[in-house]
Amino acid sequence: MSELPVVSVEHIARFEGQDITIKGWIRNRRSSGKLSFLMLRDGTGDLQAILSKAEVGEDQFALSGQLTQESSVVLTGKPRKDVRAPGGFELDVSKIQVIQIAEPFPIQPKEHGTGFLMEYRHLWLRSRRQHAILRVRHEIIRTCRNFFDDRGFTLIDTPIFTPNACEGTTTLFQTQYFDQVAYLAQSGQLYGEAAAAAFGKIYCFGPTFRAEKSKTRRHLMEFWMVEPEMAYADLPDVMQLAEELVSTVIQRVVDTRRPELEILERDIPKLEAMARPFPRITYEDALMRLQQKGIAIQFGDDFGADDETSLAQEFDRPVIVHRYPAAAKAFYMAKDPERPDLALCMDMLAPEGYGEIIGGGQRIHDLDELLKQIQAHDLPEEAFKWYVDLRRYGTVPHAGFGMGIERVVAWICGLDHVRETIPFPRMLYTLYP
């Protein structure tokens, strides 16, 4: 006799009426006379399993009564369609095998403070809400990779240890690299520029680190970014690419993760309405809009979180703000030849108060201009020697951007804080677990 197929909950509809095996953990249990109802989770979904004393016998039925929350089990039975059940199916159990009866679970079905839940983050991941968020995160990451792969971009893995800053020296995590000082990467961009000169179109995707002593709902010390970089590209090219990427991500999540969005009680029609084209406004236009609202902000000021929220409230989809003052941007940002006081840069602001999700623009490709900017920002020229070389040998206009995964997850899921968007968040006072 051949072994029964081991089936995941998400694929159970394919095996209606067949004998199968499912492996998972007990979310909760209740009994009613001669029936025992087990809510099982297996990492792909939830399934109600029903044990009848008449079907499984006294011993097996009594065993089911000993199961605690998070006990691990292997169930054998037949899936049966039931529109009232989660996922539309239930499992009529013919056999139960207990792997372990779990100790009392710290997280009970009641209100817990955030501090407590963060202390038990390794267990909190098992809840329906956290599971739904991280499934959406997975879909966003997969969509980003497919988006760039399908457009001929080459994935380049950039280093986490770097000898120099990318976004500024005030938010660096310093570490000792044998007998040298090194820093945790703030971005893969500079290395991405080198790779773009070799491959034409590349993207890097990995963790980045900012030692920014911020406790806002938008900040993490460690977060993930996807960063495309393109040779022979300019500011309009990256604005177009960013718009296509975000539009594709939204559509894909709505199409494939609707059950998770429903668990999160997300306003799905609002997401569906965020179609291209996205509005594009200049920094000066944005500044005027904010000043008309009575916000005290002047030319040259960068936008804070409240400014971004106020601005984005005027739109029902992401808005691209471009050409910020050059003095407020990084040393490598190209200047507008018609307005040298402005940088050829852009930010994409998400609606509903989620702020900047993408930042990027056109890079300086002129050797003399780059050297001048390195000196003006008082950066160590020796550390950037390799970066300057890119302008000595085959320099071309090039551009790119970075998209923060956690902020996109927070926005699409409708979350109040980015701490739920990553399995193990690193915040100002959070390093455990």
Side-chain angles (χ1 to χ4, degrees):
M1 182 177 177
S2 61
E3 290 188 7
L4 297 178
V6 178
V7 178
S8 61
V9 170
E10 66 180 347
H11 296 144
I12 199 168
R14 305 174 188 174
F15 297 87
E16 182 179 2
Q18 301 179 42
D19 285 313
I20 63 167
T21 295
I22 288 189
K23 302 176 179 181
W25 298 265
I26 300 300
R27 195 180 288 284
N28 57 59
R29 175 188 61 81
R30 63 184 177 87
S31 60
S32 176
K34 298 180 178 181
L35 294 177
S36 182
F37 301 89
L38 307 177
M39 185 58 70
L40 182 86
R41 64 169 188 85
D42 76 337
T44 71
D46 287 6
L47 175 69
Q48 180 163 273
I50 302 174
L51 283 80
S52 164
K53 184 185 290 188
E55 174 68 24
V56 301
E58 291 277 357
D59 292 345
Q60 287 264 290
F61 193 79
L63 184 60
S64 72
Q66 300 174 31
L67 297 175
T68 56
Q69 183 180 351
E70 294 304 320
S71 291
S72 45
V73 297
V74 178
L75 302 180
T76 299
K78 287 186 173 68
R80 170 174 45 82
K81 195 167 188 177
D82 188 327
V83 294
R84 300 166 299 176
F89 282 85
E90 291 183 335
L91 184 73
D92 291 324
V93 178
S94 57
K95 181 182 176 182
I96 178 171
Q97 177 188 356
V98 176
I99 306 301
Q100 188 225 16
I101 294 180
E103 296 179 20
F105 198 60
I107 303 175
Q108 292 297 308
K110 64 178 183 180
E111 282 294 320
H112 291 286
T114 301
F116 174 87
L117 292 171
M118 291 303 298
E119 188 81 5
Y120 285 95
R121 182 63 176 165
H122 52 296
L123 302 179
W124 191 23
L125 296 177
R126 304 179 186 186
S127 72
R128 279 195 180 94
R129 174 183 168 86
Q130 302 307 311
H131 186 267
I133 292 167
L134 295 180
R135 294 271 278 188
V136 171
R137 177 191 174 98
H138 165 75
E139 198 62 49
I140 290 170
I141 289 174
R142 177 163 62 178
T143 302
C144 288
R145 290 185 179 277
N146 290 341
F147 176 89
F148 291 113
D149 292 346
D150 292 346
R151 285 162 176 76
F153 285 70
T154 299
L155 174 64
I156 296 293
D157 297 318
T158 57
I160 289 174
F161 287 124
T162 68
N164 50 265
C166 178
E167 297 293 344
T169 58
T170 59
T171 61
L172 285 169
F173 279 111
Q174 183 174 316
T175 185
Q176 197 66 30
Y177 194 78
F178 301 105
D179 60 347
Q180 300 180 61
V181 171
Y183 306 96
L184 297 184
Q186 298 167 313
S187 164
Q189 177 209 314
L190 303 188
Y191 296 97
E193 290 184 50
F199 294 90
K201 297 190 297 184
I202 67 95
Y203 70 102
C204 62
F205 205 152
T208 56
F209 306 86
R210 303 285 168 89
E212 186 174 358
K213 292 186 176 180
S214 175
K215 295 188 288 185
T216 77
R217 68 189 185 93
R218 297 180 183 178
H219 285 88
L220 293 169
M221 302 299 108
E222 175 186 349
F223 59 98
W224 286 67
M225 277 207 298
V226 58
E227 300 177 85
E229 199 74 27
M230 300 178 289
Y232 293 100
D234 55 18
L235 177 61
D237 292 327
V238 292
M239 289 195 289
Q240 182 69 19
L241 186 70
E243 181 179 290
E244 291 175 2
L245 171 62
V246 172
S247 177
T248 300
V249 165
I250 295 170
Q251 189 59 54
R252 178 67 182 174
V253 171
V254 169
D255 288 347
T256 63
R257 295 300 175 195
R258 188 174 290 264
E260 285 81 4
L261 295 175
E262 290 171 349
I263 288 173
L264 298 170
E265 299 181 346
R266 185 62 163 105
D267 188 340
I268 298 176
K270 187 174 284 187
L271 289 176
E272 291 174 322
M274 294 182 191
R276 298 171 54 203
F278 296 165
R280 302 180 186 183
I281 62 174
T282 65
Y283 168 87
E284 290 176 310
D285 185 8
L287 191 69
M288 181 183 66
R289 290 169 183 257
L290 292 172
Q291 290 172 338
Q292 288 174 345
K293 294 182 177 185
I295 296 173
I297 189 169
Q298 302 299 320
F299 182 88
D301 295 340
D302 208 351
F303 297 146
D306 291 341
D307 302 324
E308 292 174 348
T309 296
S310 180
L311 189 60
Q313 284 174 344
E314 299 186 19
F315 306 94
D316 63 351
R317 64 200 66 197
V319 56
I320 296 175
V321 182
H322 57 93
R323 290 177 170 82
Y324 286 72
K329 291 301 176 181
F331 76 95
Y332 51 73
M333 204 68 78
K335 294 179 180 179
D336 188 336
E338 297 181 8
R339 286 280 305 274
D341 59 329
L342 302 179
L344 294 175
C345 63
M346 53 80 73
D347 287 345
M348 183 183 289
L349 309 181
E352 305 175 88
Y354 286 93
E356 179 193 336
I357 55 173
I358 285 179
Q362 189 170 331
R363 323 307 187 186
I364 294 173
H365 67 277
D366 180 79
L367 172 62
D368 293 336
E369 177 65 18
L370 180 60
L371 288 171
K372 186 169 73 174
Q373 288 302 310
I374 288 175
Q375 293 168 0
H377 285 77
D378 197 26
L379 296 170
E381 293 185 37
E382 186 63 26
F384 288 95
K385 183 180 177 182
W386 70 269
Y387 185 65
V388 173
D389 275 351
L390 304 178
R391 278 69 179 174
R392 296 183 188 279
Y393 309 108
T395 189
V396 297
H398 59 286
F401 63 78
M403 184 175 84
I405 295 300
E406 286 74 21
R407 286 191 183 180
V408 173
V409 174
W411 162 49
I412 290 181
C413 290
L415 308 180
D416 292 332
H417 200 292
V418 292
R419 63 185 162 222
E420 295 182 76
T421 64
I422 190 168
F424 297 97
R426 295 295 177 248
M427 298 180 293
L428 187 55
Y429 301 116
T430 303
L431 192 58
Y432 174 92

